[in-house]
Amino acid sequence: MRRGAWLGALGLWAVGCGDDGGASASAGTTTSVSGVSGDESSAGPTTGTPDSSTGVTPTGGASETQGSSSGGTTGEPSSSSGPATDSSTGGALCPADCGDKGGVCLGAECCPEDLACDGVCCPDGQVCSFNLCEQPGVECIDASECGEAEYCEYSLGDPEMGGGEMCQGGVSLQTGKCLPEPPKCAEGEEPKEGEPITCLPKCEFVPDGAFAPVVKFHWDQGDVMMAPTVIQLDDDNCDQIVDERDIPEIVFNTFEGGKYNDNGTTRAISIVDGAIVEKWSYKAAIDPTNPGREVAGGNIDGLPGNEIVTCTVAGKVRALDATGQELWISAMPLACVSPTIADLDNDGVAEVIVTGGVLDGATGAIEVKISAASDVYAADLNVDGELDILQPLGAFTAGGGILAETGSEGRFAAIADLDLDGKPEVAVIANGGAMYKHHLLVWRHDPMAPKGAVVVRAPIDINGALSPALCPVGSAGNTVGGGPPTIADFNGDGTPDVAVAGGVGYAVFDGKKLMDPNVAGPDTFLWIKQTKDCSSAATGSSVFDFDGDGSAEVLHGDEQRLRIYKGSDGSILWDTCNTSGTLREFPVVADVDNDGHADIVAVSNSYSSISCDGTKQRGIRVFGDSEGNWVRTRRVWNQHAYSVTNVNEDGSIPGPQPVNWTTPGLNNFRQNAQPEGEFSAPDLIVSVRQQCPPLDYGLVGRVRNIGAASVPPGVPVRFFEGDPKMGGVLLGMGVTSKVLYPAEAEDVVLLLPDAPPGVVDGSSVVWIVVDDEMAEHPWHECRVDNNSASGDGKCPTPG
C-alpha cells in the first residue's frame, strides 16, 4: 500500500554531503545516520546551499568507486582537483584554488565537487548517482513509495520523522527522494578496483552444503499442536507501512491441561533485537479458539495491514486484526479446520475458504456454502484463468458449483503438475476411508469425463514394506495413516515428487513413476523411512532446499523427533528431540528474523506421556544454521495449504493468483522458496568523507550495499590514521543502524573534536574498513576484497 498524499506535507531538510543532521558526540564516539547522497566517493564538504527549485542541496559528486585494500586514495574524481592549464599558453582555465575550496576543474569550469559526475558538472537540482546525473523524484520513506525501478535516497530528505501508530520499533525515520536504481551488470562484468561503479554486479554466495542447525529462539510458555503461521502484522521499521521489510510475526494456538480441542489461545510472537517479543494473545470467553485447528494470515479486508483467521470450538470462523482484536466471527458453524485465504473473484478483497463455505474477508459474511470432505484449497484446476475450490474428492467452482468428483476416497490433498504438461494433478491421501485406510491416489480434472475427474494413479499403500504392527493394536497408526502431502522435486531430476507421513513411516514417491502407467504402485517409492506417529497417523510435513542444490530436503516431526531428510535417498541429515501428541501439524520454513537466511519453526507439546530420550519439549522453537549457510527464503508462510504463489511476501493476497506450477522454480506444494535469487548476497563498499564546520568535525564512512541481497544493521565500520595493514592507528568505530537493501547506503559518522593534526590537514591518509574483525554473523558477502577505502580528512578552505 502506498502512503500517498500525506508525504506532500512533509518539509524536507537538506542534507549536504556527509551531513549528519547536526549530531554531536564526544571524542572517539560515533553517530550514524541513514543517509546517502547520490553515489559520491570524494571527500567533499558537508555544507551546501539548497537548490532554489527543489529545496534540496545538490549531492552526488564523482561517482562512487569500489573500495581499495591496497595503497592509494580511492574515490577521487578522474578530473584534477587543481587548476587546469591551456596546453598552448600554460594559462589556468579555472581558479588555482578550485581544489582547496572543494571544487573540481572541468575544462574552464570550477564545478562544485558535489556535482562533478563522470567528467561533467551536473545542473543545479540534479545529483550524481552511479556515474549519471539524475533528477531526484518524489519524496519517500521507503522504496515502496518509489517506482519499480527506483530506490529511496535518504540523504535528500528529513532524518527526524517519527513512526506511525502501528510502529513497533520506536526509531526515528528519514525521508528521502526516489532515484533510479542502477542497472544490473552484464554477466561476468564487475567494477574494477578504483573505477566508478555504474552497475550492480552479480553477487552470490553458494553454501557448502554443511548442515549444523542450532536453536536460535525458544518460546516455551505453552503447548502447541498445530502448524504455525508466519506473517507481518506490525510496522517494525516505523515506515508507516506493513510489508516484507518488517519482521514477521509467528502466530499459533496454544492449549492447557491437555485439552487440545478446547479453550485455546491465539498468540503472536516476533523476533526483535535478537529476542522473542510476545506481541499479543487472544482468548475468547464465548466460543473460544479450537487450539488443534489451523491459523491463516493475510490481508483479508483490502485495507493496509494483515489479519489472522482462526477456527472456534463450535466450528465457526473468527478473524482477528493485526493487534489481536476480534474483527468478525461467522454467523454459523462451517466445519472450520484449516482456513485458506484467496481472492476468488479478483476484486481486491480476499475470501476465506473453509470446509463448509466461503466468507467475505472484510465482513465475514457467508458468500457460498459448500460441503467438502475435509481440507479445501484454492487453485485454477481447469486452467481457465479463474480460481476453483479444490478438495480431496473433487472441486467446486468459485461460486460453489460442482466442477469435478472423483467417486473415490480422500482426506488431504496437494496440487502440482506432475507430468509437466502444463495441467495440474491432485495427489490425495485417503486416511481411514471405507476401502483405503492409508493410501495415495492421483487424479486430474478431465472435462470429458462423466464427473469431470479421472483417477490417473490407483491407490497405493503408503506404508510400503513397513508393517502397521509397528504401532500397537487399537492405535490410529495400526489401522489408518497419512497426513497432508507435500510436492517438491526431491531427487533433483526436474520432476516434482509426492511425499507423505503415515503412522509408521515417511514415504516419498517418484513423480515420474507415479505418472507412468507401466510402473506398478509399489515400484513408485523413491524411499520410505520408519517413523512413529501411532497417536494420530496424520502429521504433515514441509519441504525446503536448504543448500540450493536443486534437491529438496524434507522436514517432519513425529511423536518424538524432528528430522530433516535428504530428499534424494531419505538419509537423515539431522534430528532432535521434539515431542508431540500429533495432529496435522508440521514445521514451517521462513526467514522469521529478517537475517537473509531460512529458519525452521517447529512446534512441540508436553501434555502426554510421550517422551524422547527421557525429555519433553513444548512451545515454539526456531532453528537456524549455525554457520549462516542456508539459502534465502521468503518471510512468510501464511497458511496450512501454502504454495508460495497464494500470498505475496508482504501478506497481500494476489488477484489474479499466479499459477504455481507454471512459475519458474516452483511447481510445488508446502515448500517455501525464493523463486529467484536464492543465492543472492550483499556486497559492502565504503568511501571516505569529512564532516566539516559549522558542524563538529568528524570523518564519515559512507557504506553502500552494491550486492543483490540486504544486509542487517550492526555492520562495524572502523576508522584509521594510516593503513591498518601497515600499523595504522585506530581512531574509533561505529556500526550501521539500518537494513541496507541493494543500492542503499548509510553514513556512519565518527566525531573527532581532538583529531590528530595529520588527519585534519590532510598529511595523513585516512582508511576506513567495513565488515571486518567481527564475530560470525548471519550474512555472507559475495566479495570481501573491496571492504576498505582511503582518503584524507582535510576540509575545503572556506570562501
Side-chain angles (χ1 to χ4, degrees), residues 20 39 85 161 166 230 234 238 297 304 325 330 419 482 643 645 788:
D20 75 341
D39 282 338
T85 60
M161 194 195 77
M166 297 185 71
V230 179
D234 55 34
C238 303
Q325 301 301 307
S330 63
D419 58 4
S643 62
T645 55
S788 61

Side-chain angles (χ1 to χ4, degrees), residues 539-700:
T539 51
S541 61
S542 57
V543 186
F544 189 71
D545 183 1
F546 288 95
D547 54 8
D549 66 352
S551 178
E553 284 77 51
V554 181
L555 297 90
H556 174 247
D558 62 12
E559 293 174 347
Q560 297 177 326
R561 308 191 76 85
L562 171 65
R563 298 182 179 91
I564 300 179
Y565 298 98
K566 186 176 181 179
S568 58
D569 59 15
S571 57
I572 297 176
L573 298 174
W574 173 81
D575 72 336
T576 190
C577 284
N578 195 74
T579 54
S580 178
T582 71
L583 287 169
R584 60 176 64 208
E585 77 272 16
F586 53 79
V588 304
V589 177
D591 182 358
V592 300
D593 55 2
N594 268 8
D595 69 352
H597 297 276
D599 300 302
I600 298 169
V601 186
V603 306
S604 55
N605 46 82
S606 59
Y607 75 96
S608 70
S609 61
I610 294 171
S611 66
C612 172
D613 297 341
T615 68
K616 294 183 180 184
Q617 292 74 43
R618 73 171 187 170
I620 297 285
R621 286 191 290 176
V622 176
F623 296 89
D625 182 72
S626 61
E627 304 296 327
N629 278 321
W630 291 349
V631 299
R632 299 171 61 228
T633 193
R634 306 175 86 208
R635 288 154 283 195
V636 64
W637 185 301
N638 77 313
Q639 60 191 28
H640 197 269
Y642 176 73
S643 62
V644 178
T645 55
N646 70 265
V647 63
N648 297 319
E649 196 168 2
D650 64 358
S652 59
I653 305 301
Q657 179 174 303
V659 178
N660 178 281
W661 53 88
T662 61
T663 300
L666 298 184
N667 196 13
N668 52 18
F669 201 86
R670 294 191 176 97
Q671 176 184 8
N672 217 347
Q674 191 73 36
E676 55 182 282
E678 61 187 349
F679 297 127
S680 295
D683 184 17
L684 298 176
I685 62 172
V686 66
S687 58
V688 180
R689 302 175 59 77
Q690 316 92 10
Q691 178 171 286
C692 297
L695 301 174
D696 295 335
Y697 177 79
L699 295 175
V700 180

